[in-house]
Amino acid sequence: MPETTRRADQHLTSRYGNRPTMKDVAARAGVGLKTVSRVVNGEAGVTPDTERRVQEAIEALGFRRNDSARVLRKGRTASIGLVLEDLADPFYGPLSRAVEEVARAHGALLINGSSAEDPDREQELALALCARRVDGLVVIPAGDDHRYLEPEIRAGVATVFVDRPAGRIDADVVLSDNFGGARDGVAHLIARGHRRIGFIGDMPRIHTAAERLRGYRTAMEDAGISVADRWMSLGATSPERVRRAAEDMLDGPDPVTAVFTGNNRVTVTVIRVLAERSRPVALVGFDDIELADLLQPGVTVVAQDAAALGRTAAERLFRQLDGSLLAPERIELPTRLITRGSGELPPAG
Amino acid sequence: MPETTRRADQHLTSRYGNRPTMKDVAARAGVGLKTVSRVVNGEAGVTPDTERRVQEAIEALGFRRNDSARVLRKGRTASIGLVLEDLADPFYGPLSRAVEEVARAHGALLINGSSAEDPDREQELALALCARRVDGLVVIPAGDDHRYLEPEIRAGVATVFVDRPAGRIDADVVLSDNFGGARDGVAHLIARGHRRIGFIGDMPRIHTAAERLRGYRTAMEDAGISVADRWMSLGATSPERVRRAAEDMLDGPDPVTAVFTGNNRVTVTVIRVLAERSRPVALVGFDDIELADLLQPGVTVVAQDAAALGRTAAERLFRQLDGSLLAPERIELPTRLITRGSGELPPAG
DNA sequence: CTCGCATCTGACAACGTTGTCCAGGCTCTA
DNA sequence: TAGAGCCTGGACAACGTTGTCAGATGCGAG
C-alpha cells in the first residue's frame, strides 16, 4: 500500500462537516475498505486481530456509518412514514407511539408528519416520504382520493390506511367500528328513556363522522324515533360553532334531553356548555377523554383504542414488507362503551 | 442515439420494487441524464420543448426522485430528529407538533423517537438519527451524560436540548422556569394561609423534578416554614406510588392541608385521591391538564407552554444550521400560574 | 460566409456504502 | 514436499443523484 493512501485520514475531504468515512478508517487501520465494512456490520471473516485494529481506528476517528449511502446501496431504508392529522391531538399521540414501537421492534425508524386535515398537505407529505424511500407508509387520510399513491404502491411501498378508509384505491385499512359504536352509544341513551337526542359531529365528508352519524340515525330509526333536523349538527369544527349548535338544540323548540357527541373535541366543548346549565342533560361522547371519570357527573363515552389502531396497522404493514403479497384487507376494531354517569341521566325538562 | 437505449424503460433493473430512475426518464425522453436532473430541480437552461418532453416521460413512468441518492450527493438531508420521552404523553404531542411546523417552514421533515425515559435508548436513538445524517437534533434528555454526542456536534450536527439541560457538554438549551414556577405555585398556597404543604414529584435525577423541588423548598424557606421529610415524596413515578405517597402525607401525623404536585401525571393521580375524601385539601400542580377548569374545584396549575418550548428550540436549531457558529445559550421560558379554585382553598383540618 | 458569443446539452466523476469475486497465504493430507 | 481446500482480505463495480466542464447548436455581426 502506498504511503499516500495510508495517511488519508489526515486530509479528509469534508462534506458532512468533517466526517471520516470507511475509507479513512481503512487507511488508518491499514486494511482494505471492505474489511472495515465487514467489521462494522459484524460479518464473519475477519481475524480478531484485524477486527481490533479496525475498532480502534473507528474509535479514534469517531466514525459513524453513513446510512444514506447504505440505503442507496441496499434499497431498504428501515424507516416508515406516518401521515396523521395533528400530533398535538391527544388521540394521535398514543397512535403514533404504538406505530413507533412496532417499527422499533422491526428495527425501523418512524418519520411522521401532520396533514392538518388538509388533503393537499397530506399528499405533499406522503409523496415527500416516498421520495425518501420509506419502506412503508401509514396514512390517516385527510383527503378522499389516494390514487396519487398508486405508482408508489406498485413500486413496492407498503401502505396501510388507518382510522379512515382509503379513497378510490384498494388498500389495507384499519378502522374502529364507528358505526356500531355510535349506534350502541345512542341506543344506550334511548334505553334510559331518552327520545329527543341531539347529535353534534364533524363534517360528513370525513368518513368517521359520516359513520357515526349513520350509527346515530340507525339507533334512532331502530327505536322508531323520527329525528328532527335541528337535533343534528354536522360540520361543527370550531368550539364556537359547537357551542352554538349545542345551545340551539338545548334551547329551541322540542329541546333535546340528551346529546351524542361525535368526537373528543366536540365532547369537551359540550361538557362546558352543559356545565353552565341547571337542567341535567345526558351526554355520551365518542372517544375517551382524560379525567372523564372525575367530572360531575362522569362522562360516559364510546372509547376507541388509538394505540391498538396504530399497532394493528403497523403490524399489518410489516407483514406486507416481510413477505408475500397480501390481498388488501379491511380490519375493524371494536369500540367499548364506558358508563360513568352522564349517559345514565334520565330525561329531564 | 441508438435505439437500444431509447427503450431502456422497458427493462428497468429493479431494486426499490421497479422504480424508474433519471436514467430511465432520460432514455424515454431522448435526452441526457443531467437534463432530467435540471428539469426535476427546476434549474434554468432547458428549452420549453425539452422540458415538456422530460415532464411527459416523468409522468408516464411515474418517476419520483430518490432522495437517498440526492442526500448522499448533497450532504444535507433536510430532516431533523427529535428524541423525546413519550409521544403518548399529552405534554409532548404539542411540543413535537411545534417542532414539526418550524421544520416544515424550513423545508425539513421530522423524524422522532421515544426514549421511554431510558438513557441507553436515548443514546441509541440519537446516534441512529445521526447515522441517518439528520441535519440537526432536538433532544429531550433522558440521561445526564451527553458526551456521546460530542463527535456528532463537532461533525456539524446542530443540536438543541429542550426541557432539561444537556449533561456534561456545552450546548444550546431551552427550558421552562421550573424553579420559579414551582416557587411561585407554592408561595401561592402559603399566601392562602397554608403551612403544612406536601410535595410529590419525580426522581430528582431528572432535572425538572429537581428544580421544582428546589422551588418548593425555597418558597417554604422564604416563608420561614420548616419542612417535614414526610411531606416530600420524590421518585413517585407509578400511580400506585403517588397514591400511597399522597395518602401518607394526608393521613399521617401533622397532615398537610395542601399539596404541590410536580408534573401532570402526578397531578391527575392526586386529584383522584383528593376526590375520594371529604376534607378539602388545596392543590396546585405543575403542567396544565385538559379539563382542569371543569373539575370541582377547578385545578390551579403552573402551566408551561410546551409548544413554545418546541418552537423556540427548533428555531434555535435552524439558526445554527442557517449560519454562523453561535455560542451555546440557555433560554428560559416563563411559566404561568392559572388559578381555578383548588389552589385557593383555605387550610382545613 | 465565417467567426464569436451565448445558450443549451450531455459525458463523466464523485458522494459512501455493500456485493461480487478473485488472490494470496495458510493448513492438512498424501 | 506438493497439491487441495479453506480462510482472510482487498480491488472493483454499482446504487441514483448532482456538480463540473466541455461540446454542440444557433444566432447575429463583421
Side-chain angles (χ1 to χ4, degrees):
Chain A
M1 173 175 294
E3 191 59 23
T4 50
T5 31
R6 183 164 294 142
R7 284 187 293 151
D9 58 288
Q10 290 180 14
H11 50 83
L12 303 171
T13 49
S14 90
R15 188 157 292 254
Y16 303 98
N18 241 354
R19 277 187 176 283
T21 69
M22 282 191 180
K23 197 167 147 193
D24 300 317
V25 174
R28 172 153 186 142
V31 303
L33 183 54
K34 180 66 207 196
T35 302
V36 177
S37 173
R38 274 195 268 265
V39 171
V40 169
N41 293 295
E43 286 172 32
V46 181
T47 44
D49 182 58
T50 307
E51 172 162 1
R52 191 186 43 71
R53 284 216 316 286
V54 171
Q55 286 291 9
E56 277 171 14
I58 289 177
E59 200 72 24
L61 295 174
F63 167 79
R64 188 155 341 271
R65 179 176 63 197
N66 184 333
D67 274 356
S68 299
R70 174 169 224 254
V71 157
L72 179 60
R73 188 64 231 261
K74 303 203 73 153
R76 278 278 172 107
T77 58
S79 60
I80 65 173
L82 170 61
V83 180
L84 39 68
E85 194 223 315
D86 179 5
L87 207 41
D89 184 320
F91 179 72
Y92 294 110
L95 194 156
S96 173
R97 178 68 199 277
V99 172
E100 185 196 338
E101 286 303 315
V102 176
R104 181 178 145 87
H106 287 80
L109 284 177
L110 179 64
I111 309 180
N112 47 17
S114 300
S115 69
E117 203 69 272
D118 173 353
D120 291 338
R121 195 164 153 180
E122 173 209 300
Q123 176 169 350
E124 177 196 327
L125 255 171
L127 291 180
L129 291 167
C130 289
R132 298 292 168 103
R133 296 294 188 268
V134 292
D135 297 335
L137 215 45
V138 177
V139 180
I140 298 173
D144 51 9
D145 186 350
H146 296 93
R147 281 175 298 178
Y148 70 87
L149 278 176
E150 268 176 347
E152 310 301 327
I153 293 171
R154 260 203 311 278
V157 179
T159 306
V160 179
F161 292 82
V162 188
D163 193 43
R164 307 166 193 172
R168 314 185 69 168
I169 64 171
D170 198 23
D172 278 323
V173 184
V174 180
L175 302 168
S176 277
D177 181 10
N178 293 290
F179 167 74
R183 188 194 53 203
D184 295 352
V186 174
H188 181 74
L189 288 166
I190 295 173
R192 286 302 187 284
H194 294 274
R195 310 282 296 173
R196 302 197 304 276
I197 303 173
F199 176 93
I200 305 180
D202 221 324
M203 298 160 289
R205 76 164 176 81
I206 299 177
H207 175 263
T208 49
E211 282 294 288
R212 293 169 196 177
L213 175 61
R214 193 164 70 82
Y216 163 80
R217 285 182 177 285
T218 301
M220 296 296 269
E221 199 171 305
D222 286 352
I225 306 172
S226 66
V227 175
D229 274 351
R230 67 179 166 287
W231 295 349
M232 287 181 299
S233 163
L234 315 175
T237 43
S238 68
E240 295 72 32
R241 291 189 58 180
V242 171
R243 168 169 287 272
R244 194 144 13 94
E247 286 169 347
D248 282 355
M249 60 182 69
L250 286 167
D251 300 330
D254 274 352
V256 299
T257 62
V259 179
F260 185 85
T261 48
N263 67 45
N264 54 357
R265 288 176 310 243
V266 173
T267 306
V268 168
T269 304
V270 170
I271 291 171
R272 292 215 155 80
V273 173
L274 296 184
E276 296 162 2
R277 317 191 145 235
S278 52
R279 172 165 69 95
V281 174
L283 171 68
V284 174
F286 208 106
D287 290 337
D288 201 0
I289 49 183
E290 202 177 10
L291 296 187
D293 56 323
L294 289 178
L295 296 173
Q296 293 297 337
V299 183
T300 295
V301 298
V302 176
Q304 53 177 332
D305 188 341
L309 281 174
R311 200 180 321 117
T312 307
E315 278 163 0
R316 178 82 193 169
L317 186 125
F318 281 102
R319 215 167 310 133
Q320 280 184 37
L321 283 174
D322 286 347
S324 46
L325 292 157
L326 307 164
E329 202 177 323
R330 177 197 178 94
I331 303 173
E332 203 165 84
L333 301 184
T335 57
R336 197 161 53 95
L337 182 73
I338 306 178
T339 59
R340 296 197 179 107
S342 76
E344 293 71 49
L345 294 173
Chain B
M1 173 170 294
E3 189 60 25
T4 49
T5 29
R6 183 165 291 141
R7 283 187 295 152
D9 58 286
Q10 291 179 14
H11 51 81
L12 304 172
T13 49
S14 91
R15 187 157 293 252
Y16 304 97
N18 239 355
R19 276 189 177 282
T21 70
M22 283 192 179
K23 198 167 146 192
D24 299 317
V25 174
R28 172 153 186 145
V31 302
L33 182 53
K34 180 64 208 198
T35 301
V36 177
S37 174
R38 274 194 268 265
V39 171
V40 169
N41 293 296
E43 285 171 33
V46 181
T47 43
D49 182 58
T50 309
E51 172 162 3
R52 191 186 43 71
R53 284 217 315 286
V54 171
Q55 286 291 8
E56 277 172 14
I58 288 176
E59 200 72 24
L61 295 175
F63 166 79
R64 189 158 335 274
R65 179 177 62 197
N66 184 334
D67 274 355
S68 299
R70 174 169 224 253
V71 157
L72 179 61
R73 189 64 231 264
K74 302 204 73 150
R76 277 277 173 108
T77 57
S79 59
I80 66 173
L82 170 61
V83 180
L84 39 70
E85 194 224 313
D86 179 5
L87 207 41
D89 184 319
F91 179 71
Y92 295 110
L95 195 156
S96 173
R97 178 67 199 278
V99 172
E100 183 196 339
E101 287 303 315
V102 177
R104 181 179 146 84
H106 287 80
L109 284 177
L110 179 64
I111 309 181
N112 47 18
S114 301
S115 69
E117 204 70 89
D118 173 353
D120 291 339
R121 193 163 155 182
E122 173 209 300
Q123 175 169 350
E124 176 196 327
L125 254 172
L127 291 181
L129 291 168
C130 289
R132 298 291 168 106
R133 294 296 187 267
V134 291
D135 297 335
L137 215 45
V138 177
V139 180
I140 297 173
D144 51 9
D145 186 351
H146 297 93
R147 282 175 298 177
Y148 70 87
L149 278 177
E150 268 177 346
E152 310 301 327
I153 292 172
R154 259 203 311 277
V157 179
T159 306
V160 180
F161 291 82
V162 188
D163 192 41
R164 307 167 194 173
R168 314 185 70 168
I169 64 171
D170 198 24
D172 279 322
V173 184
V174 180
L175 302 168
S176 278
D177 180 10
N178 293 290
F179 167 72
R183 188 195 51 203
D184 294 351
V186 174
H188 182 74
L189 288 167
I190 294 172
R192 286 301 188 284
H194 294 274
R195 311 282 297 172
R196 301 196 305 275
I197 304 173
F199 176 93
I200 306 180
D202 220 323
M203 298 160 289
R205 75 165 177 80
I206 299 178
H207 175 264
T208 50
E211 282 293 288
R212 293 169 196 177
L213 175 60
R214 193 163 70 81
Y216 164 79
R217 284 183 178 284
T218 301
M220 296 296 269
E221 199 171 304
D222 286 353
I225 306 171
S226 67
V227 175
D229 274 352
R230 66 181 168 288
W231 294 349
M232 288 182 298
S233 162
L234 314 176
T237 44
S238 68
E240 295 72 32
R241 292 190 55 182
V242 171
R243 168 171 288 273
R244 194 146 9 95
E247 287 169 347
D248 282 355
M249 61 183 69
L250 287 168
D251 301 330
D254 272 351
V256 299
T257 62
V259 179
F260 185 85
T261 48
N263 67 44
N264 54 357
R265 289 176 309 242
V266 173
T267 306
V268 168
T269 304
V270 170
I271 291 171
R272 292 216 156 80
V273 173
L274 296 184
E276 297 162 2
R277 321 196 140 228
S278 52
R279 171 166 72 95
V281 173
L283 170 68
V284 174
F286 209 108
D287 291 339
D288 202 2
I289 49 183
E290 201 176 12
L291 296 188
D293 57 322
L294 288 177
L295 296 173
Q296 292 300 334
V299 182
T300 294
V301 297
V302 176
Q304 53 177 333
D305 189 340
L309 282 174
R311 199 181 323 117
T312 307
E315 277 163 0
R316 177 83 192 168
L317 186 125
F318 281 102
R319 214 166 311 133
Q320 281 185 35
L321 282 175
D322 285 348
S324 47
L325 293 158
L326 307 164
E329 202 177 322
R330 177 196 178 95
I331 303 174
E332 202 164 85
L333 300 184
T335 57
R336 197 161 52 96
L337 182 74
I338 306 176
T339 58
R340 296 198 179 106
S342 75
E344 292 70 50
L345 293 173

